Amino acid sequence: MKPSGVELLRVRMPLVAPFRTSFGTQNVRELLLVRVVTPNGEGWGECVTMGGPLYSSEYVDGAEHVLRNFLVPALMEAGEVTASQVVPRLARFKGHRMAKAALEMAVLDAELRAHDLSFAAALGSTRDSVPCGVSVGIMDSVPQLLDVVGGYLDAGYVRIKLKIEPGWDVEPVRAVRERFGDDVLLQVDANTAYTLSDVSQLARLDPFELLLIEQPLDEEDLLGHAELARRIRTPVCLDESIVSARSAADAITLGACRIVNIKPGRVGGYLEARRVHDVCAAHGIPVWCGGMIETGLGRAANVALASLPGFTLPGDTSASDRFYRTDITEPFVLKDGHLPVPQGPGLGVTPIPDLLAEVTTSTVWLGS
Ligand SMILES: CSCC[C@@H](NC(=O)CCC(=O)O)C(=O)O
Ligand SMILES: [Mg+2]
């Protein structure tokens, strides 16, 4: 299909509560949405960059700049293009995987809607609902943490993920185990906050039978993760380190991880995310779908991805109300700890115009 134009929308959505990780606290989600218009209809993409380059080197102003000045013009010059040709056509531009992923997602959505195919069907879904985990931020106190965790368990979440950092690790994990028992599926995410010199502290998590410890070390330290994995019992899972199917194969071969968190934006798109899934499956490595506090657009695509066979661990595919009082799409509502996989054409959801307008701070039209 030949896009006739692309709209970039800057969106600001307040979070229901501050979300604190080892790299900072978020109260508002600054987002960039991409709307691709083609003769056969339109498609939506969501760029998962954070407001600043804190989770990774990408950030929302940079993504908007690279889309406006390089990626969208290149797409428009390409003429007829299928979704699977988008990323290869942009390969000459280095990096900016989240920006490229958003553009591919929008073209893929338009293409699938035109062919009356869902993301789930196109990606190889084998389930009609997915079990949902939830990510819990660093809190001001252990009692506050226990209240929040109790609320999510009451809501039906099947897995709890605790953000950790030096000074907030063993004590909160021990408290959750003591309060809620050994049967709760429990894991932790450090967002690169530790170094190999912290190995003895991280080994103190072993007695709590965690599902995994996510990205304890720097995203470029694969050998450090391999050494850590030899010295602790908790399985190491990588997030920030895995930026493509190739890097997943490298990390697995080096023994740097036994589990992979797949985030389509981080790896450069949903099509690459499926390749990461396939590489991990070939190595017997379980995967789960990570989250970047997406709106219902990205959430719809993530739930579809999470329904592929290799996604054997609950993901951070929580309900819309985990982060937002009002989503820009029909909300995703948890039912018996699961979310339904959208079956409609493309994403299966579209923004609700009034709700989108309320949170849109600027738009730019690029095209004829
Ligand atoms: C601002 S935190 C974004 C990255 C973080 N994501 C989550 O913790 C899950 C967020 C979500 O449920 O969308 C991660 O490193 O896994
Ligand atoms: Mg993570």
Side-chain angles (χ1 to χ4, degrees), residues 19 21 23-24 26 29 48 50 55 133-136 161 163 189-191 214-215 239-240 261 263 266 288 290-294 299 302 315-318 322-323:
F19 184 50
T21 69
F23 59 77
Q26 267 190 280
R29 186 73 173 94
V48 296
M50 310 310 284
Y55 164 81
V134 64
S135 181
V136 182
K161 159 169 149 177
K163 290 293 186 179
D189 184 0
N191 288 107
E214 187 179 344
Q215 200 71 46
D239 171 351
E240 289 91 332
N261 162 337
K263 292 178 179 175
R266 185 193 73 222
W288 54 282
M292 292 295 284
I293 319 181
E294 289 93 346
R299 198 160 298 278
N302 285 355
D316 287 341
T317 51
S318 44
R322 161 63 185 87
F323 289 104

Side-chain angles (χ1 to χ4, degrees), residues 15-37:
L15 302 186
V16 292
F19 184 50
R20 184 176 155 196
T21 69
S22 63
F23 59 77
T25 300
Q26 267 190 280
N27 294 290
V28 176
R29 186 73 173 94
E30 277 197 83
L31 283 162
L32 178 67
L33 299 180
V34 178
R35 182 172 68 91
V36 167
V37 177

Side-chain angles (χ1 to χ4, degrees), residues 64-73 366:
E64 181 174 3
H65 185 274
V66 76
L67 279 158
R68 287 182 72 160
N69 294 281
F70 298 95
L71 306 183
V72 172
L366 308 168

Side-chain angles (χ1 to χ4, degrees), residues 2-266:
K2 180 172 175 17
S4 45
V6 175
E7 182 181 37
L8 302 182
L9 301 88
R10 290 293 294 265
V11 163
R12 274 175 66 86
M13 294 173 69
L15 302 186
V16 292
F19 184 50
R20 184 176 155 196
T21 69
S22 63
F23 59 77
T25 300
Q26 267 190 280
N27 294 290
V28 176
R29 186 73 173 94
E30 277 197 83
L31 283 162
L32 178 67
L33 299 180
V34 178
R35 182 172 68 91
V36 167
V37 177
T38 79
N40 311 354
E42 64 183 37
W44 287 89
E46 179 164 348
C47 183
V48 296
T49 43
M50 310 310 284
L54 298 169
Y55 164 81
S56 73
S57 60
E58 293 189 74
Y59 62 103
V60 66
D61 287 347
E64 181 174 3
H65 185 274
V66 76
L67 279 158
R68 287 182 72 160
N69 294 281
F70 298 95
L71 306 183
V72 172
L75 181 74
M76 301 301 287
E77 282 157 23
E80 283 292 327
V81 66
T82 63
S84 59
Q85 291 167 336
V86 170
V87 168
R89 288 282 165 81
L90 304 175
R92 69 183 187 276
F93 305 117
K94 302 294 185 188
H96 297 285
R97 288 181 172 87
M98 293 176 180
K100 292 174 179 175
L103 198 49
E104 178 199 78
M105 179 180 168
V107 174
L108 182 57
D109 184 33
E111 187 173 284
L112 293 176
R113 286 178 196 271
H115 291 89
D116 198 20
L117 254 182
S118 67
F119 255 65
L123 291 175
S125 169
T126 53
R127 281 170 282 168
D128 57 14
S129 71
V130 297
C132 298
V134 64
S135 181
V136 182
I138 294 167
M139 298 282 162
D140 294 336
S141 72
V142 167
Q144 184 193 13
L145 175 76
L146 295 177
D147 285 348
V148 169
V149 170
Y152 289 139
L153 291 172
D154 291 345
Y157 284 104
V158 302
R159 180 269 282 147
I160 297 291
K161 159 169 149 177
L162 303 180
K163 290 293 186 179
I164 61 170
E165 65 182 11
W168 180 268
D169 45 34
V170 173
E171 188 194 356
V173 166
R174 174 185 293 114
V176 168
R177 274 285 182 244
E178 286 175 354
R179 169 70 67 86
F180 301 107
D182 295 337
D183 295 340
V184 170
L185 297 183
L186 184 62
Q187 63 193 54
V188 295
D189 184 0
N191 288 107
T192 76
Y194 295 85
T195 67
L196 204 49
S197 63
D198 297 312
V199 59
S200 52
Q201 180 66 9
L202 295 174
R204 291 181 57 211
L205 292 169
D206 283 347
F208 300 107
E209 299 298 322
L210 299 176
L211 282 173
L212 57 94
I213 177 169
E214 187 179 344
Q215 200 71 46
L217 310 181
D218 182 277
E219 66 275 16
E220 296 184 4
D221 192 1
L222 290 186
L223 295 179
H225 281 102
E227 174 60 23
L228 179 70
R230 285 188 285 272
R231 297 167 64 181
I232 66 173
R233 260 205 343 268
T234 306
V236 173
C237 170
L238 290 179
D239 171 351
E240 289 91 332
S241 295
I242 309 299
V243 293
S244 64
R246 178 204 306 260
S247 75
D250 292 349
I252 293 162
T253 303
L254 287 168
C257 63
R258 283 162 50 192
I259 302 170
V260 169
N261 162 337
I262 296 182
K263 292 178 179 175
R266 185 193 73 222

